[in-house]
Amino acid sequence: MRVITGDEAGLVKSVVFPPKVEEPKQRSKKVKQEEEEKKKNEPTMILNKFGTIDKNEGVQKLCFGELDGKRHIVVARKSGKIQYLDNETGQIEREYQDENINKDSKFVGLYATEKYLITCTTSGHVSYTLLSSYKKDTINKTTCISSSLGANLFVMRVHPTRPHLFATGGNENDLKVYDAEVLMKEEDEKKALVFQAKNVKNDMLDLRVKVWIHDLHFLNEEGTRIVTATHYHQIRVYDTKKQRRPISDFDIGKNPLLTLHIGVDFDHVIYTDTMSTVATVDLRKGTVGSHYKGFTGAVSDVAVTPQPSFTAVNDNDKKTNPLIASVSLDRFLRVHEMSTQFRRIEQKVYLKQRMTAVLIDETFEFPKDEEKEEEDQEENDMWDAMETVAENNNKPKRKRA
């Protein structure tokens, strides 16, 4: 398992955990001694650091992208730089500059496809930069397609299978869904607006309910179902085909919700709040399920593997051992298992800096030990070469006295 983290100091770290070996429950003393000797020779965690410490280059967003068919780590930094890093060495392969990033503005959305680099800022500037237009030895700037999506944005999320669709939300900036293809042609936000949410009805005192969206996700391939998490501890589900108001509105806890992530399927989401709570919510009933323990600081980002897909027909085989990786203000990277009711911590690493983003590389395979494979193969060949002896069932019977 490989986890990528980004922190406030500008470092990108790659943490590789060796595969876990299941131990038998009942063991003799000799077996225990042999296992202890084997553990000394077992592979340990591998930690690689990319970049140098510079708080002006702090990491705000992370995602994976492709260049020439090769997988890269895409990093959005505090200075406005967007960099493509080599997935293995961390070397900068390509760099862009977003001029809309300043002291009062930061990245709230980052997504990369084979064709476009997509970014969004808190000031409402959305960029769709064509990767084929990149020029070497020059400063490449992002291509802004809209600068008036509203101020105080806190999140922009691109649809995973339809990247021309993206949704935004923020402080007194309710949920909106846009079509980027229309924005590129018409440059008119009203024509490109696919959906605009309507606030819920006034409360029992007939006062307007405040709006402050912190995170959101698409729930279906058509992009018509969307879930949001708010500063006022609400999780809301919208269906753009049915109505503008949310079809489900759940009040979760008493603290502001920070992040939201799709769980093992699209009926469950994982949320985090300002009081180090990480838990699962069933969107069908609005009930809070399993909690993940062990945090001493607010969780800034989470990632789940394997990630559910809209296009996958059957994911039952992949969900045998789901894991959740999280980074928090206490500077720890934690990996919890999601397959049992106990939600145990599988891995825990102290990474020194306060982390802001986390990714899980699902394509990574831990390097195999060639010497051990040769020994196992020799042992298997030895057993295969032995002749099988048939059992003699015609044993002489004992005479009774």
Side-chain angles (χ1 to χ4, degrees), residues 299-317:
V299 175
S300 51
D301 198 13
V302 298
V304 175
T305 182
Q307 294 182 359
S309 173
F310 296 132
T311 56
V313 178
N314 189 1
D315 286 336
N316 291 332
D317 296 336

Side-chain angles (χ1 to χ4, degrees), residues 6-279:
D7 55 50
E8 293 178 350
L11 296 175
V12 176
K13 297 177 183 178
S14 170
V15 185
V16 178
F17 297 108
K20 194 173 182 180
V21 180
E22 294 183 359
E23 299 179 356
K25 294 182 179 179
Q26 294 181 354
R27 296 171 295 175
S28 62
K29 290 183 179 179
K30 290 184 178 180
V31 173
K32 286 182 181 179
Q33 290 176 357
E34 291 176 359
E35 288 181 355
E36 287 177 359
E37 291 178 359
K38 286 182 180 179
K39 282 182 179 179
K40 294 179 182 178
N41 300 322
E42 279 183 0
T44 56
M45 181 195 72
I46 304 171
L47 175 62
N48 294 319
K49 297 179 183 179
F50 305 146
T52 56
I53 295 177
D54 186 357
K55 289 190 176 181
N56 294 325
E57 299 292 335
V59 178
Q60 294 181 344
K61 294 289 178 180
L62 285 176
C63 74
F64 286 113
E66 287 191 5
L67 286 178
D68 302 326
K70 188 178 178 182
R71 193 178 179 91
H72 287 72
I73 305 169
V74 187
V75 186
R77 298 187 180 274
K78 184 180 178 181
S79 60
K81 295 177 182 177
I82 305 106
Q83 297 172 338
Y84 277 77
L85 305 183
D86 186 272
N87 199 18
E88 296 178 358
T89 63
Q91 184 179 357
I92 299 174
E93 299 288 341
R94 187 175 290 191
E95 184 175 290
Y96 294 89
Q97 181 70 39
D98 194 327
E99 294 181 333
N100 301 305
I101 297 296
N102 49 50
K103 293 181 180 180
D104 301 324
S105 181
K106 67 176 185 177
F107 288 105
V108 294
L110 177 68
Y111 194 79
T113 66
E114 296 179 356
K115 189 177 181 181
Y116 288 104
L117 170 64
I118 307 166
T119 61
C120 182
T121 67
T122 53
S123 56
H125 294 80
V126 176
S127 300
Y128 271 67
T129 306
L130 197 64
L131 296 179
S132 59
S133 63
Y134 181 80
K135 297 179 181 179
K136 294 183 178 180
D137 302 327
T138 59
I139 299 175
N140 291 268
K141 299 179 181 178
T142 56
T143 306
C144 183
I145 62 173
S146 178
S147 59
S148 56
L149 297 185
N152 298 324
L153 286 183
F154 270 68
V155 60
M156 186 276 279
R157 190 77 63 181
V158 180
H159 193 284
T161 59
R162 300 186 179 187
H164 65 280
L165 288 178
F166 65 90
T168 62
N171 188 4
E172 295 303 334
N173 196 330
D174 214 341
L175 175 66
K176 298 183 183 70
V177 181
Y178 292 92
D179 190 336
E181 292 179 351
V182 179
L183 269 177
M184 293 178 192
K185 295 177 182 178
E186 303 289 338
E187 295 183 359
D188 187 356
E189 287 77 12
K190 292 183 180 179
K191 293 182 180 179
L193 187 62
V194 177
F195 172 78
Q196 183 174 1
K198 188 177 182 180
N199 197 6
V200 296
K201 295 179 180 179
N202 293 351
D203 60 13
M204 57 183 297
L205 299 176
D206 200 25
L207 298 175
R208 177 184 173 276
V209 179
K210 294 181 180 180
V211 176
W212 192 344
I213 296 175
H214 274 189
D215 206 351
L216 60 88
H217 275 278
F218 288 94
L219 293 177
N220 62 353
E221 189 176 2
E222 293 78 15
T224 57
R225 295 187 78 242
I226 304 167
V227 59
T228 65
T230 73
H231 183 83
Y232 305 107
H233 47 84
Q234 302 144 341
I235 289 182
R236 293 171 174 171
V237 180
Y238 293 84
D239 192 332
T240 61
K241 289 183 178 180
K242 293 183 179 180
Q243 60 186 32
R244 291 175 59 191
R245 285 196 171 106
I247 58 173
S248 300
D249 188 1
F250 308 122
D251 196 14
I252 307 296
K254 297 181 180 180
N255 304 303
L257 306 184
L258 291 179
T259 64
L260 193 69
H261 201 282
I262 303 298
V264 293
D265 53 44
F266 292 99
D267 290 326
H268 297 83
V269 292
I270 298 170
Y271 76 90
T272 69
D273 65 12
T274 56
M275 294 300 290
S276 68
T277 302
V278 181

